[in-house]
Amino acid sequence: MNKNQAFPWDHPRFRSWIGVARACQLMQQAVTRAIADLGIKPPHLDILVNLYRFDGISQQELARKLLVGRSNMSMLLPQLEKRDLILRKADAKDKRVLRLSLTHAGRSLTEQAMIIQTGLIDRILSQTPEDRCLQVAESMEDIIRILQTMDADEVAEDA
């Protein structure tokens, strides 16, 4: 790079992006530690919370919500099923589709995990005014919308 060219870390948007990425990574580590005693990890928690919210969702819909592939789902779901936390049932109309639900034990564990996760978030963001939290949320939602509408060719062009 020549003297007149700015480095990426000098760019405010790059700095913002790195800050979000680092905060996300550190939060993931904190959540991992906080829920360890429950015998689950963040990917399990993501599944359980989504099943709590969307009872009867299909495996395919869940994978799409979590932005993961079917192979990842096929590794995680049996672990939760073996622990009697989830049920997989064939759809009444289409036997090829598997519908997912929490068991009673799964619901109870999910509620415990959500209390832990929410407490951690509250503790970390307690000094941040709610309006700033909402601004960050809106900014991230904007980024999500942009990324979801971009196709692979657009991403490659921008790189």
Side-chain angles (χ1 to χ4, degrees), residues 1 20 31 33 37 44 62 71 83 96 99 102 106 108-110 113 118 120 141 148:
M1 297 185 102
V20 168
V31 169
R33 287 188 304 272
D37 289 345
H44 300 120
L62 179 62
S71 62
R83 289 186 56 194
R96 297 170 297 174
R99 298 275 168 200
L102 292 173
S108 176
L109 182 79
T110 304
T118 303
L120 183 59
E141 289 162 2
Q148 287 178 328

Side-chain angles (χ1 to χ4, degrees), residues 1-12 14-15:
M1 297 185 102
N2 66 41
K3 285 184 181 181
N4 296 330
Q5 198 169 12
F7 290 102
W9 50 85
D10 295 331
H11 194 284
F14 186 87
R15 179 177 170 214

